[in-house]
Amino acid sequence: MELSRVPFADLYEQIMLGFVTGTLPFDALLIPSAWLPDFAPYLTPVPESILASPVVDDIHPIYRDALMRWGDQWKALTIDGDLHFTALEDQLDLVMAGHVTPAQGLRAAARAWEARP
């Protein structure tokens, strides 16, 4: 099976078919974290040597603690995490100009966001 030629809309089905039939020809997969619950029974746990390495410490806790584990086993390793935040433009300008620290700017932006009508 050459998954590189499978449209993304069909990828989940093709990977699951490979798991169920035992014909998936890959040792590693790059998948969306939302697929982990379905794929977890077919995945080998992440080796302890990787979990004990500094690589894992650098992963933000929301990804490390919530998206890499299924049950009591580590089944995935996050390689990309998109942390999204909103900062109001005027606060960003103040931070960039050095008038406030990034933390002060974010706190002010959060207060302004909560106070919006």
Side-chain angles (χ1 to χ4, degrees):
M1 175 187 331
E2 191 169 330
L3 293 179
S4 64
R5 298 184 187 268
V6 175
F8 185 79
D10 300 329
L11 193 56
Y12 173 94
E13 180 181 337
Q14 292 297 312
I15 292 172
M16 185 56 83
L17 182 64
F19 280 142
V20 171
T21 62
T23 61
L24 192 66
F26 304 105
D27 294 327
L29 294 169
L30 180 60
I31 62 168
S33 59
W35 295 358
L36 183 60
D38 296 336
F39 291 175
Y42 304 99
L43 299 174
T44 302
V46 176
E48 286 296 323
S49 59
I50 292 175
L51 295 174
S53 74
V55 170
V56 175
D57 291 337
D58 285 342
I59 299 172
H60 193 278
I62 192 67
Y63 296 102
R64 185 186 62 234
D65 300 337
L67 300 178
M68 291 173 44
R69 295 168 28 132
W70 187 250
D72 60 350
Q73 292 186 321
W74 297 87
K75 293 286 191 154
L77 185 62
T78 298
I79 61 167
D80 177 34
D82 299 322
L83 290 178
H84 301 282
F85 68 93
T86 300
L88 298 179
E89 188 175 342
D90 62 335
Q91 292 301 320
L92 187 56
D93 290 342
L94 291 173
V95 170
M96 297 305 289
H99 299 298
V100 297
T101 67
Q104 291 168 326
L106 286 175
R107 281 194 296 273
R111 285 191 302 273
W113 180 264
E114 289 172 357
R116 74 189 188 288

